[in-house]
Structures are given as C-alpha cells and as structure tokens.
Amino acid sequence: MNNITVKKLIEKIEGEAELDFTFNQGEIEDVKINFGFYRGIEEILRGHDAWDALVITPRVCGICNHAHLLAAVRAIENGYENSGLKVNLTSKAKAIREFTLSCELIQNHIKWLYMTIFPHFEKFVGAVSEENYAMKATYLASTITKALAVFSGQWPHASYAIPGGVTCDPTHLDVMQAQSLVDESIKFFEEVVIGLSIDDYLAMESVSSFDKIQGDFGKLLRLMIVNDMGNKGYSHDRFIVFGESVLSKPGRSIITNVTNVDISCVIENEQKGTVSKAVTYKDKFYEVGPLARGMVAKTPIVRSLHKRFKDSVLSRVFARIHEVALLLDYSKSLLNKLQLDEPSCVLKSDVRLTDFDGIGTVEAARGSLIHKTTVRDGVITNYDIITPTQWNLGNSKAVDQGIAIEAMIGSSSIEEATFIFRTFDVCSVCTTQ
C-alpha cells in the first residue's frame, strides 16, 4: 500500500480538528493538522480599551479561561512597567492569583485524565471498563473549582484579576471554606486517583517506585506499560517553558540540558490549509506542557521516567497527572500562608497609562500561554495570543517536523495515531484566534 491519504475528523476535544494521514507501506509517513473555524478574538480586541482584554480574553477558552485572564493582566502590568510605572503586587495578591490558577490546572488535568485519556485508551486497547469516569472527573473538578470561585467570584470567565492585584478581599471564613474544599479534593485524589497518601506519593523520586501507585492512576500506568506506551509517541525531545510558576522556571531543555529562553526568539507563521498559526523558537518546534515543565524544572521522578521512556506517551501522561499532586499540595500551603491584612490591590482605579507595549506569560494546563498587547491613546492597536496548542500542533516545515506530527509518524493505525494526538490535549478554540 503506497502513499494513501486518509482524512479523519477529531471530535470530543475543545473544538474540532481534521487530520490528514499519509500512509506508506502500512505506516503513517506524514500528517497534516487542520483547524477550520476562525474566531478572530485578536481582531475583536483592536479598538477596545486596554482593560477590556480582562473581560474579552477569558472568553477565548471555556476550560483555561483563568490562564487567559492572568496572561492579559500580566501583559498590562508589564506594559506599565515598561513605561516606568512599577507594579509591586502584595504577597496576598500573588498568592490568590497562584491559588486560583492552580485550581484551574487541577480541574483541567483531571477532566483530561478521566474524560479523554481513560475512555479513548481503553477503547484503543480493547479494555473498556464499566467505570463512570465522567462522574469521577466531575466530582473532583467541581470541588476544586468551588475553591477557585471563593476568590474569583465565578468560574468560568471571571475577571477578578486587575492591574495591581485582585478585586476580592477574602475573610478568614472564606479561607476556611477554600481549605475545606482543597482538603476534600486531596482526600478524593488520595483514595481514588493514586491509592496512597499525597505525602508518600510526592516522596517518590524514581520510576522504580511505580508499584506503590494504586487507584485509577496506577491502573492506567500498568495498562500503558503492558501496551508498550513507553515506546510510542516519541517526538523531538525538545521542551520549552516561558511562564514562571511553582512547577518550573522559564527555560528550554534539549534532551536533558537546560538553558535560558529569550521571548523575542518566538516566531509565529501562517500555515496553508488551516486557520491556526505555527509557532517556533529559533526556527525549531518545541514541546510545551507538563512534561516540558518537569524536564526544565528537573523534577526527579519526571527525569527518572524520561531516562527510561524518553518523551513517550507514558512520560507525557504521567507528567500531567503528577502535576495534580504538586498543585494540590501547593494550594494548601498557599492558603495557610495567606496574609489577609495586606492590600488586595496596589494601584488606584484611576491610574491608567495610555501608551505601552506589554507581554504576559502564564503556564496554562497545556503549556506556555503568551499575550502581547500594544496600546496607543488608551486603546488596543494590536493584540497577539500564542497558545500551547500552537506550540504542540504546528504543521511540519521542510527542515523540521511538528511536535505532535513527529510523535504520530510511524504509527501503524489511525487509532494509535489519534490517541497519541490526544495525549497533547488539543484545544482548537484557543488556537484559532
């Protein structure tokens, strides 16, 4: 069978995508990734007041909207600082922003585990169970989102983060309510997802400890190892992080060597046949997301896993669920240290600069998110949103294969390739701005 192309519409992701697979001698030789629905959020923003981005950009995505809000507010604050107005957030405002972002990542990771990975992998390997994965996903995701909403007022599409801080002024009762919801989330994670205490889980630093992991995550890991997912889905082994968080500092990792990054080296390129743009760093594709964060941060158990299984499907899935444990633990510590007597916001509402250029970076669930804003005479003249899916799902160039495409090449079936594709957690609505 020579050079046969098969089109496949991918659904049950954020939006839709079309994959064009080219087969040669029974293996996938090339893939084109097409996103067909243009949204134009960047164009909508032009002509609006600079602060309108705080309300409009969270509408980019229904599942990582909070990350877009924080990228938007950081872009404005960075623009103010570039124009000479220093913005020194209080530790209270920083902690509340980090807490709410952590909650959003947790709900995102858990939904991906139970509503994407489990059902599609079990179907792929013919091991479909009777588990109600949707119910498990909903329970933990809704519990941790309630904790988020204690501070943001609502989720999705909150706009509580403003230049200089946050609009909320929580009481001790609010913090106690959030602590109770985080404790409830940890209890579920320990009993259902990992089958051991979160402290014992986080003490593990080597892949040799995998047998200790029980629960649904342990079941998934063993099913993946039996089905050789440690040897599937290899990409370029290049990783990059632009946002700073408890999970990682900015940096790029090539195999295991970590170096600094310069955001001016990020370039977007239009692609034929799709409305999404590809994005590269120094003309190379890099993987973003939890595995990238683990590699750049040199997280011991992620590095141990990578040493044995490289940038495989198994490593990619493990790194993402490992972040749930890290973020639950971190969220609890943030609440315990919250300084309620500090101001929530350090800028007065009438402090508005009218001419600035700013960049905001955030580590969203799927990876690095970048917002760039240009403001003249108080209105946005240009707005650029670079999303994690653009990094991971760009189409190949003459000298370099896209990250997900490289991972799918060599697959023997569309079913195998599309499962590999889903391990990058596709979000077409974020990508087609």
Side-chain angles (χ1 to χ4, degrees):
M1 187 169 64
N2 293 318
N3 295 329
I4 293 177
T5 298
V6 180
K7 293 182 180 292
K8 174 75 173 178
L9 181 66
I10 306 299
E11 299 176 297
K12 296 184 179 178
I13 57 176
E14 286 292 301
E16 295 176 343
E18 180 191 277
L19 302 187
D20 297 347
F21 296 102
T22 299
F23 280 85
N24 190 4
Q25 302 297 325
E27 288 190 351
I28 291 173
E29 183 181 64
D30 194 16
V31 188
K32 300 293 184 190
I33 304 172
N34 305 318
F35 296 103
F37 298 101
Y38 180 62
R39 301 184 68 217
I41 298 289
E42 293 167 337
E43 292 188 32
I44 290 170
L45 285 160
R46 290 179 197 136
H48 276 271
D49 184 280
W51 284 36
D52 285 357
L54 306 177
V55 178
I56 296 173
T57 61
R59 271 72 183 175
V60 167
C61 184
I63 198 165
C64 60
N65 51 88
H66 208 65
H68 281 282
L69 169 64
L70 294 183
V73 76
R74 287 176 182 174
I76 295 174
E77 289 170 346
N78 177 252
Y80 281 11
E81 295 198 354
N82 291 339
S83 297
L85 177 62
K86 189 69 176 174
V87 182
N88 290 315
L89 299 182
T90 62
S91 68
K92 173 185 172 183
K94 288 180 183 175
I96 291 174
R97 287 185 184 183
E98 289 183 39
F99 176 80
T100 53
L101 181 62
S102 297
C103 291
E104 181 172 88
L105 265 67
I106 292 166
Q107 64 85 27
N108 206 316
H109 291 352
I110 285 297
K111 285 180 181 172
W112 174 79
L113 172 67
Y114 280 123
M115 301 179 78
T116 296
I117 295 302
F118 259 117
H120 288 283
F121 186 61
E122 288 187 348
K123 183 178 180 181
F124 169 54
V125 299
V128 176
S129 67
E130 299 296 324
E131 291 276 2
N132 191 337
Y133 292 129
M135 184 66 75
K136 291 181 178 180
T138 301
Y139 180 80
L140 182 47
S142 63
T143 302
I144 202 67
T145 302
K146 290 176 187 173
L148 187 167
V150 168
F151 301 97
S152 69
Q154 69 176 66
W155 191 93
H157 306 151
S159 296
Y160 88 106
I162 57 174
V166 294
T167 59
C168 62
D169 193 15
T171 65
H172 288 287
L173 191 60
D174 292 328
V175 176
M176 289 174 62
Q177 183 185 3
Q179 286 172 327
S180 175
L181 291 163
V182 171
D183 287 343
E184 187 177 339
S185 299
I186 290 174
K187 185 171 185 286
F188 182 90
F189 185 73
E190 291 177 331
E191 292 181 355
V192 177
V193 181
I194 57 175
L196 73 165
S197 77
I198 199 166
D199 291 337
D200 288 343
Y201 174 85
L202 290 174
M204 295 188 303
E205 295 189 345
S206 168
V207 69
S208 62
S209 304
F210 267 23
D211 287 344
K212 296 179 182 177
I213 304 173
Q214 301 298 315
D216 290 337
F217 191 30
K219 182 180 77 171
L220 178 65
L221 291 175
R222 282 181 273 282
L223 193 61
M224 285 198 154
I225 290 171
V226 166
N227 285 279
D228 206 25
M229 289 296 113
N231 291 309
K232 304 281 187 182
Y234 294 139
S235 190
H236 295 300
D237 226 356
R238 296 194 295 256
F239 309 98
I240 204 160
V241 175
F242 286 96
E244 182 159 359
S245 71
V246 66
L247 300 170
S248 174
K249 295 186 180 302
R252 66 177 165 142
S253 169
I254 299 178
I255 304 179
T256 58
N257 183 38
V258 177
T259 57
N260 295 330
V261 290
D262 178 358
I263 204 165
S264 67
C265 298
V266 176
I267 302 295
E268 279 186 299
N269 297 290
E270 293 191 356
Q271 308 175 102
K272 291 183 179 178
T274 175
V275 298
S276 72
K277 297 174 184 173
V279 60
T280 54
Y281 184 86
K282 293 187 175 179
D283 213 31
K284 294 285 187 183
F285 290 107
Y286 281 81
E287 180 170 346
V288 299
L291 181 56
R293 291 191 282 259
M295 291 301 294
V296 171
K298 300 183 179 180
T299 304
I301 197 162
V302 174
R303 293 291 285 259
S304 173
L305 192 72
H306 177 269
K307 185 176 182 180
R308 181 165 172 182
F309 298 109
K310 305 301 179 186
D311 57 339
S312 64
V313 166
L314 179 63
S315 299
R316 202 166 287 122
V317 170
F318 178 88
R320 188 155 182 179
I321 304 310
H322 183 67
E323 282 195 351
V324 177
L326 294 171
L327 290 168
L328 283 169
D329 190 59
Y330 181 57
S331 298
K332 191 169 184 176
S333 70
L334 282 172
L335 293 176
N336 290 338
K337 294 185 293 186
L338 201 55
Q339 299 296 315
L340 296 183
D341 56 343
E342 292 183 347
S344 293
C345 185
V346 295
L347 293 182
K348 294 182 178 178
S349 59
D350 59 351
V351 175
R352 296 285 190 100
L353 300 190
T354 57
D355 294 275
F356 59 87
D357 298 275
I359 299 175
T361 59
V362 169
E363 283 305 302
R366 297 172 177 84
S368 296
L369 171 66
I370 301 171
H371 283 209
K372 299 179 181 179
T373 185
T374 300
V375 176
R376 298 291 180 268
D377 296 326
V379 301
I380 297 168
T381 58
N382 191 58
Y383 206 97
D384 190 17
I385 300 171
I386 300 174
T387 67
T389 301
Q390 286 179 255
W391 286 99
N392 288 335
L393 301 183
N395 281 318
S396 303
K397 301 186 300 180
V399 295
D400 200 24
Q401 300 281 11
I403 292 296
I405 291 171
E406 177 71 14
M408 288 187 280
I409 286 176
S411 296
S412 57
S413 68
I414 289 177
E415 289 74 20
E416 180 180 303
T418 53
F419 178 71
I420 292 170
F421 182 70
R422 291 181 189 279
T423 64
F424 290 94
D425 196 12
V426 188
C427 184
S428 75
V429 296
C430 269
T431 304
T432 54
Q433 302 310 318

